[in-house]
Amino acid sequence: MLNLKFIQENKETVIERLAVKNFDARESVEKIIALDNQRKSLQQEAEAKQAQMNIIAKEIGKLMQSGQKEAAEKARQETADLKSAIAGLNSRRTEVSNELTDILLRLPNMPHASVAKGKSEADNEIVKIVDNIPQKHENDLPHWELARKYDLIDFETGVKITGAGFPLYKGLGARLQRALINFFLDENIKAGYQEVQPPLMVNADSGYGTGQLPDKDGQMYYVNEDNLYLIPTAEVPVTNIYRDVILDGDQLPVKNTAYSACFRREAGSYGKDVRGLNRLHQFDKVEIVQITRPEVSYEALEGMVKHVESLLIKLGLPYRIVRLCGGDISFTSALTFDFEVYSKAQEKWLEVSSVSNFEEFQANRLKLRFKDKGDKKTTTCHTLNGSSLALPRIVAALLENYQCEEGIRLPEVLQTFMGTEMIR
């Protein structure tokens, strides 16, 4: 959530920067400022009437002592009228405050100055690309055929059990999932991240805290009876650990990593390329989350990008790094770098990670602050997160790029976890 005071003092800047995300913010910003002024006016009027009522209340006692019962009764009626008026003003102020909060929650984060306007992923900037792009051979198979050939993933039984987008991993396919999760977690821990295991369901407050609600309400699976949401990413519960928390300055940066299953309805995605592991409703992912001081958050973002890159290098996968334009960056992000791996058999790039700096956008919603020793005031933190990594398309790229006549040769870093060098 953008800071209300910042919006008031930098109205045109907010409108200009949100236009980079193709969001016309003028009406919303004008409404926010008008509602805040109205809220303040109602509060001032209520406080003035309360002060007036307090004065009259003191006079009633004096009037009663002097025997002026009629005047005292008139004063009592006046205080009753004032009390009723104050209640009406407070009720109206609550309505205005709720409307103000609703508009603020629907206003996207401002993109960083380096984010280009753009309309879609076609306008993203490729900032790095490796030069080991593999060539497709005549007999190369896509990962869904390799999964069937080596009995790794059963898409049809997943459909029977649940529905499309819920694959069943089997044998070495299930072990490959576990191997990747352990590899990613171990590498993240070596990089200074503390492992946590979060719940897979969150309440609405958590969804609002990290910005999935109300923006992505239709994309989340909702359990109506319990008013809970299945998580779309471990970012949500992990970041919400620190909701309504004031950290000590010497605790920063906070660095957490977590594995979780992720659930996304992907509403509106039907008809896109959804074969195999390309687009799922349930998938596994390892996440990294950082909470930092504002002045070092972009240094932290750079470190997270380098860390994710190191994982892809160790897996030996061809990759590229993309800076997202305003038309493709998320509602909550100020700056995002996507990682894509090359799928040899499909001859296309597949997104496997987004690494983002949210600046204070999430922290404002979370009321997440820190205070240094000796300071009386608190400072709003910056939050960051990244996929480290999402498994389905990593698995797709591994199967396709490492296929050979003997089977699928595994990257060296996974062989110990798998207990074998080859999938045959």
Side-chain angles (χ1 to χ4, degrees):
M1 187 164 65
L2 295 180
N3 182 275
L4 179 55
K5 184 178 179 182
F6 182 88
I7 294 173
Q8 292 167 328
E9 296 176 353
N10 303 273
K11 181 178 78 170
E12 293 303 324
T13 298
V14 172
I15 293 169
E16 178 185 334
R17 292 307 302 158
L18 288 181
V20 173
K21 285 191 170 183
N22 301 306
F23 186 90
D24 186 356
R26 184 166 296 279
E27 183 177 348
S28 295
V29 168
E30 297 283 7
K31 185 72 171 175
I32 285 168
I33 294 171
L35 286 170
D36 189 49
N37 289 336
Q38 186 179 358
R39 179 183 63 81
K40 290 175 180 176
S41 177
L42 289 166
Q43 182 174 347
Q44 290 169 357
E45 189 176 352
E47 288 173 351
K49 290 188 181 297
Q50 182 64 55
Q52 185 180 357
M53 190 172 76
N54 292 342
I55 292 171
I56 296 172
K58 290 179 181 179
E59 290 297 319
I60 291 173
K62 295 178 182 178
L63 291 169
M64 290 295 292
Q65 288 177 357
S66 62
Q68 301 180 60
K69 292 185 179 180
E70 187 175 338
E73 190 58 38
K74 184 178 180 181
R76 283 198 184 94
Q77 183 58 50
E78 192 173 350
T79 58
D81 293 342
L82 285 168
K83 187 175 182 179
S84 177
I86 291 168
L89 289 167
N90 287 337
S91 176
R92 177 60 185 146
R93 180 164 60 90
T94 298
E95 292 175 3
V96 170
S97 294
N98 290 340
E99 186 179 358
L100 172 60
T101 299
D102 184 66
I103 298 175
L104 281 169
L105 287 172
R106 295 177 188 278
L107 204 64
N109 194 8
M110 291 194 306
H112 186 263
S114 65
V115 176
K117 193 172 189 327
K119 292 185 178 180
S120 69
E121 62 183 26
D123 299 313
N124 291 337
E125 176 192 359
I126 299 172
V127 297
K128 184 173 183 178
I129 185 168
V130 297
D131 57 5
N132 63 332
I133 307 301
Q135 296 299 311
K136 181 180 180 181
H137 300 115
E138 184 178 353
N139 295 325
D140 283 343
L141 299 174
H143 68 271
W144 53 86
E145 292 186 22
L146 291 167
R148 182 180 297 108
K149 179 179 179 179
Y150 296 105
D151 199 23
L152 304 175
I153 308 170
D154 187 338
F155 294 101
E156 291 75 17
T157 300
V159 171
K160 181 183 77 171
I161 295 170
T162 308
F166 296 87
L168 172 69
Y169 297 88
K170 303 165 60 179
L172 288 179
R175 189 184 296 183
L176 179 58
Q177 291 282 107
R178 182 156 49 91
L180 284 166
I181 292 164
N182 288 334
F183 169 63
F184 293 149
L185 285 173
D186 286 355
E187 292 295 308
N188 294 346
I189 291 167
K190 290 175 188 175
Y193 291 87
Q194 180 186 50
E195 183 181 357
V196 296
Q197 189 172 38
L200 299 182
M201 302 176 78
V202 293
N203 55 34
D205 286 344
S206 293
Y208 280 102
T210 44
Q212 279 69 32
L213 297 176
D215 180 59
K216 292 290 187 294
D217 193 3
Q219 299 288 355
M220 297 173 71
Y221 285 101
Y222 178 59
V223 183
N224 183 59
E225 291 82 356
D226 300 302
N227 194 27
L228 294 173
Y229 294 83
L230 290 170
I231 63 170
T233 166
E235 167 207 342
V236 181
V238 173
T239 310
N240 270 278
I241 293 170
Y242 305 96
R243 175 157 41 95
D244 298 318
V245 170
I246 299 176
L247 295 165
D248 291 331
D250 57 10
Q251 291 179 266
L252 298 175
V254 171
K255 300 170 69 175
N256 285 325
T257 185
Y259 152 71
S260 77
C262 303
F263 306 88
R264 299 183 185 181
R265 293 186 61 240
E266 297 286 4
S269 68
Y270 309 103
K272 294 184 180 181
D273 186 2
V274 296
R275 292 206 69 179
L277 299 172
N278 287 344
R279 191 175 296 274
L280 301 176
H281 295 304
Q282 178 183 325
F283 60 94
D284 293 322
K285 182 154 66 83
V286 176
E287 198 81 359
I288 50 176
V289 171
Q290 282 205 43
I291 299 168
T292 73
R293 294 173 179 271
E295 65 271 17
V296 300
S297 67
Y298 280 95
E299 180 182 337
L301 179 66
E302 183 180 353
M304 293 171 75
V305 168
K306 288 181 178 178
H307 175 67
V308 172
E309 183 177 14
S310 75
L311 299 177
L312 294 173
I313 291 171
K314 289 175 181 178
L315 289 172
L317 290 174
Y319 68 91
R320 68 182 185 182
I321 306 174
V322 179
R323 188 203 312 269
L324 299 194
C325 70
D328 199 29
I329 199 170
S330 75
F331 176 86
T332 52
S333 177
L335 178 61
T336 295
F337 292 96
D338 270 6
F339 283 81
E340 300 172 347
V341 295
Y342 190 73
S343 166
K344 182 175 71 164
Q346 297 180 81
E347 296 183 289
K348 64 189 293 186
W349 292 96
L350 305 174
E351 179 203 331
V352 295
S353 173
S354 289
V355 185
S356 302
N357 188 349
F358 306 108
E359 296 184 355
E360 65 173 36
F361 190 79
Q362 289 182 332
N364 282 332
R365 290 168 169 246
L366 295 160
K367 295 182 175 62
L368 168 55
R369 296 156 290 166
F370 73 93
K371 183 165 65 173
D372 287 316
K373 291 178 181 177
D375 287 354
K376 293 183 178 180
K377 290 187 177 181
T378 59
T379 303
T380 304
C381 297
H382 277 196
T383 64
L384 307 91
N385 91 283
S387 313
S388 169
L389 288 156
L391 270 66
R393 293 169 185 171
I394 290 289
V395 170
L398 286 173
L399 297 181
E400 294 182 12
N401 295 351
Y402 279 94
Q403 62 182 302
C404 58
E405 288 185 8
E406 297 81 13
I408 298 165
R409 186 172 301 279
L410 293 166
E412 187 175 343
V413 293
L414 296 181
Q415 291 175 12
T416 301
F417 293 105
M418 290 289 292
T420 181
E421 296 179 4
M422 296 282 297
I423 293 176
R424 291 184 170 90

